[in-house]
Amino acid sequence: MNTMRLLTLVGLVFCMFNALICSYSAGIVCMVVLIASTLAYRPTISWKILLHTGIILGTVALLMAGLPHGPWVYWSIPTAICLLAALLIRLAEKYPQERLLGIILLFGAGWCLMHSSLPSLLLQQTQSRSLAYLERGHWGISQSHDNSLVIRSQYSYDMVKKIIGSRDIPNLSRLEAYTDLWMITPTQPFSSQEIEKIRKWVLRGGRLVVITDHTDLFGHASVLNPLLESMGLRIQKDCILDSTGDGGTYQNLFQKFKGLSANSFSGRGETWLVENGYSERTDYSKNSFFSDNQISDEEIPGIYPIGLTSPFGLGNIVLFGDSTLFANFALSRPSAQHLLQKVADAGPPLPFHTGTAMMLLLFWSVSRKRKIKILAGMISFLLLIAMVIQLCRPAYKLSYAFSPILNVWGDWSLAENDHAKYSTLFATAFSKSPMFPVWKETSRNSNRIVFSNGYTLENSVSEEWLPDPSWEKRLNMNPSLSMEQFMTALDHDSWLSSFWFDDGVGLLKNKAYEQFWKQVAQVESKKENLKLSLMKQVKGTLNFNGITVPVTVKLFHIQGHHPWVILGDWIIGKEISSGMILIRSNWQHPSWGDKDAVFQYIP
């Protein structure tokens, strides 16, 4: 009896944790009642002990009531459990309440099953999957592109559509022909008729997959919330930051994934991915809707659901809060590929709710009549089989057939972590590699990356190119490296580079990344020998951050690649008009820093 009680309480605590991080009030109340009832059913502890414990915890909660971020909430829940359990035990001493407690436990088992996504996932497992993709608005674009390193092709989601094998649908008129409907950051509002159509489709067994992003960027959360709220869910208009004020690490019980900038969710659902961080609210005055990305008393610390699956009728809704991971420029990252697989599999959430329902039934049946024990045991056995089937069900097959495949194994941290040596290179792989890298297995702490063709990347320390720190001197110097050496330096120090802006990464970075990936894929190609023209020394002004400085510059044109030029010691520029050269930080070696500038001179 005591062992069954302990196992039941463990399951209820997991369900309580899920309800807490999802801010699901009804779930929190239900779990308080069920935990208290489990403690009170055939009690092994005195009601006085529980009463005194509740008073102590309640005192602590009151003392914390004035502190920021509300830690008193987490103390008030065990307070309520102890006080309610003490009351139930005390009442049971005066009036026989075992039948009432038994009904509560049975109700709890049914409630947990209703809130478990396992039944709908098993039902959908018997169906042949057909995926539809609905594009509404012009943010999550998915049209074809030219594979260049510019924002339109980098931030497209057309590769995701190919990988999941979906078909575009212009509207919802033929929704019944599909089992899954995917949407990524839609920005065009839904009518009440469309909301009702999607709602009924999910009720009858459809799977709605909604992928969102930080804050309320371009209004996508405002567009989606009326639809999701009709099914008991809500997108929080926040951005979850780690302690550095940057994107964080997502995790479940077994794995960690490097994320970018996610939002969180609330409502009736089962989490399968969380982030421990700080919730920063939307700032509509900023272009990206980010606030200041600084951790202060305004940000709320906690554990936030990033991935959520919610049962609804015979179907379910799958939510994931970081669309950027699935943009073309990020799909070569191992975490992006593994998380895309999890989204396609509806998470899947661990069956805590089903397991808890099973334990509630067994705990209740321990002291009941023989027929009831047999019935409860049979139901629990069926639930256990269902849990095993869900955990062992085959993954939905993603298709990478759009490109020759180069399988990859090894240390994920080399490809995606902050300051990772090959992070930028892997993010450019989709367009610069003749073979698309597909990650196999989970991360290994090997300090190396191994490809199926035998090529290996190791975390060796290379000598970093360090030009003169004075940019005034650097502008008036000859290039200190050969063209080949500078291209290698761009690769070696790529972890500091950025590449997904309107003007791309510049000619030389494009060449360097292409050269790197052809080397990895072991593809022989004729190297285009880039040469610099004869030097011209010119005087002009450098304008950056509103400051104008007179400078003398050694100017070199890249032969055959007008309008690209080199200023001094490998500062890359683009001649946008006669006598005006644009210098963008994302074209440079990291040593240039984050200075965007304009150089003007008289030709």
Side-chain angles (χ1 to χ4, degrees):
M1 180 79 173
N2 288 335
T3 301
M4 291 300 304
R5 188 194 310 274
L6 179 61
L7 292 174
T8 304
L9 288 172
V10 169
L12 289 169
V13 167
F14 275 116
C15 292
M16 172 66 83
F17 172 79
N18 183 85
L20 274 172
I21 64 174
C22 290
S23 301
Y24 182 40
S25 301
I28 295 171
V29 172
C30 187
M31 288 301 112
V32 167
V33 173
L34 285 174
I35 293 173
S37 300
T38 304
L39 290 171
Y41 191 79
R42 296 276 175 109
T44 57
I45 188 170
S46 167
W47 68 271
K48 292 183 179 179
I49 294 176
L50 287 169
L51 176 63
H52 293 154
T53 304
I55 292 173
I56 293 171
L57 293 173
T59 303
V60 175
L62 287 173
L63 291 173
M64 289 189 168
L67 296 178
H69 306 315
W72 62 272
V73 173
Y74 298 100
W75 288 88
S76 63
I77 288 173
T79 299
I81 290 170
C82 290
L83 294 178
L84 181 57
L87 177 63
L88 290 173
I89 294 173
R90 181 60 175 159
L91 289 174
E93 290 181 355
K94 293 185 175 182
Y95 314 99
Q97 298 290 333
E98 185 173 308
R99 179 171 296 181
L100 175 61
L101 291 175
I103 291 173
I104 292 175
L105 296 177
L106 287 176
F107 167 81
W111 188 94
C112 287
L113 275 179
M114 285 180 59
H115 283 70
S116 173
S117 56
L118 183 143
S120 60
L121 290 176
L122 289 180
L123 177 64
Q124 291 171 340
Q125 189 66 20
T126 64
Q127 302 172 338
S128 177
R129 301 274 297 277
S130 55
L131 279 62
Y133 182 93
L134 180 64
E135 181 178 317
R136 291 179 69 98
H138 297 287
W139 175 24
I141 56 174
S142 56
Q143 295 88 2
S144 59
H145 50 81
D146 60 1
N147 283 342
S148 59
L149 292 179
V150 297
I151 198 167
R152 181 172 178 79
S153 55
Q154 291 285 325
Y155 239 125
S156 172
Y157 297 97
D158 69 306
M159 284 186 68
V160 162
K161 294 196 305 180
K162 296 175 184 177
I163 292 171
I164 65 176
S166 66
R167 292 187 179 182
D168 289 337
I169 57 172
N171 52 55
L172 300 173
S173 60
R174 298 190 65 251
L175 182 58
E176 289 76 10
Y178 299 93
T179 60
D180 297 53
L181 175 64
W182 283 59
M183 288 186 283
I184 301 179
T185 60
T187 55
Q188 180 182 334
F190 294 91
S191 68
S192 57
Q193 292 83 4
E194 289 175 318
I195 290 175
E196 187 61 21
K197 186 178 182 65
I198 295 174
R199 190 174 181 275
K200 288 181 178 179
W201 173 78
V202 176
L203 270 171
R204 291 192 292 265
R207 178 181 298 174
L208 175 64
V209 180
V210 177
I211 299 170
T212 60
D213 213 308
H214 64 79
T215 61
D216 187 22
L217 192 56
F218 304 131
H220 77 284
S222 297
V223 163
L224 284 166
N225 270 334
L227 169 64
L228 295 177
E229 285 171 353
S230 71
M231 295 179 278
L233 297 167
R234 181 172 178 80
I235 299 169
Q236 295 301 316
K237 298 176 182 180
D238 59 6
C239 178
I240 309 303
L241 307 173
D242 65 12
S243 58
T244 65
D246 200 355
T249 299
Y250 312 152
Q251 57 190 34
N252 54 30
L253 282 180
F254 308 109
Q255 291 176 285
K256 292 185 177 181
F257 305 92
K258 182 61 181 175
L260 294 171
S261 300
N263 70 281
S264 64
F265 306 100
S266 62
R268 177 182 176 271
E270 293 183 284
T271 57
W272 49 268
L273 199 67
V274 299
E275 181 179 359
N276 186 7
Y278 297 80
S279 174
E280 184 178 61
R281 296 299 161 184
T282 301
D283 186 343
Y284 288 101
S285 67
K286 305 289 182 63
N287 288 336
S288 62
F289 291 15
F290 282 118
S291 188
D292 56 5
N293 286 6
Q294 300 292 322
I295 306 303
S296 65
D297 284 343
E298 295 179 357
E299 282 67 52
I300 304 174
I303 300 174
Y304 295 92
I306 304 302
L308 191 72
T309 299
S310 177
F312 189 70
L314 299 177
N316 48 56
I317 305 103
V318 182
L319 304 178
F320 179 64
D322 191 354
S323 69
T324 309
L325 274 178
F326 299 154
N328 287 345
F329 76 85
L331 270 176
S332 296
R333 295 162 51 111
S335 285
Q337 293 181 12
H338 281 248
L339 284 172
L340 180 59
Q341 180 70 69
K342 289 188 176 298
V343 172
D345 292 332
L350 287 171
F352 286 137
H353 284 78
T354 300
T356 303
M358 180 180 72
M359 299 313 300
L360 283 167
L361 284 172
L362 291 176
F363 174 66
W364 170 77
S365 70
V366 167
S367 61
R368 308 301 294 174
K369 295 179 180 180
R370 185 170 179 270
K371 290 183 178 179
I372 294 177
K373 288 183 179 182
I374 293 173
L375 178 62
M378 290 178 60
I379 295 174
S380 298
F381 180 69
L382 291 174
L383 292 178
L384 179 62
I385 292 176
M387 289 169 60
V388 172
I389 291 174
Q390 178 186 336
L391 293 172
C392 298
R393 65 195 176 115
Y396 177 73
K397 186 173 178 57
L398 301 179
S399 173
Y400 292 92
F402 53 82
S403 170
I405 300 304
L406 195 59
N407 292 328
V408 194
W409 296 265
D411 194 337
W412 289 12
S413 63
L414 297 182
E416 63 181 11
N417 283 3
D418 295 333
H419 304 291
K421 184 172 183 179
Y422 301 105
S423 58
T424 298
L425 294 164
F426 268 96
T428 63
F430 87 92
S431 62
K432 295 304 176 185
S433 174
M435 298 183 179
F436 188 84
V438 177
W439 288 82
K440 302 294 181 180
E441 302 178 359
T442 55
S443 181
R444 303 174 183 175
N445 296 323
S446 58
N447 256 349
R448 64 170 53 189
I449 296 170
V450 180
F451 297 86
S452 53
N453 64 356
Y455 196 85
T456 301
L457 297 173
E458 298 195 57
N459 195 22
S460 56
V461 179
S462 56
E463 185 176 347
E464 186 177 354
W465 175 61
L466 296 173
D468 195 299
S470 169
W471 54 265
E472 294 99 330
K473 291 182 180 178
R474 190 174 165 187
L475 283 166
N476 198 22
M477 294 172 61
N478 290 318
S480 57
L481 299 176
S482 68
M483 177 70 75
E484 290 73 17
Q485 289 173 324
F486 181 66
M487 299 281 271
T488 302
L490 289 179
D491 280 348
H492 285 172
D493 307 315
S494 69
W495 60 271
L496 278 172
S497 300
S498 184
F499 54 88
W500 42 287
F501 291 93
D502 285 328
D503 292 310
V505 297
L507 170 68
L508 295 186
K509 279 191 179 178
N510 263 305
K511 294 289 183 183
Y513 295 162
E514 185 175 3
Q515 178 178 309
F516 171 85
W517 279 108
K518 285 183 177 179
Q519 184 178 354
V520 168
Q522 298 181 345
V523 174
E524 291 187 9
S525 60
K526 292 182 179 180
K527 288 186 179 179
E528 182 182 357
N529 294 320
L530 298 178
K531 294 183 179 180
L532 302 181
S533 66
L534 295 176
M535 180 269 294
K536 292 195 300 183
Q537 187 160 315
V538 296
K539 292 183 178 181
T541 57
L542 193 70
N543 304 285
F544 62 91
N545 295 333
I547 302 172
T548 300
V549 180
V551 290
T552 301
V553 172
K554 289 187 175 178
L555 181 63
F556 305 84
H557 287 81
I558 303 177
Q559 292 184 5
H561 290 280
H562 178 79
W564 292 98
V565 299
I566 302 298
L567 295 85
D569 192 9
W570 290 114
I571 298 170
I572 304 167
K574 189 175 185 180
E575 196 166 23
I576 55 178
S577 64
S578 180
M580 181 177 290
I581 296 173
L582 176 64
I583 303 170
R584 295 198 59 160
S585 59
N586 56 298
W587 299 339
Q588 316 300 324
H589 182 273
S591 57
W592 177 248
D594 59 356
K595 298 182 289 291
D596 286 335
V598 174
F599 174 66
Q600 290 181 282
Y601 68 101
I602 299 175

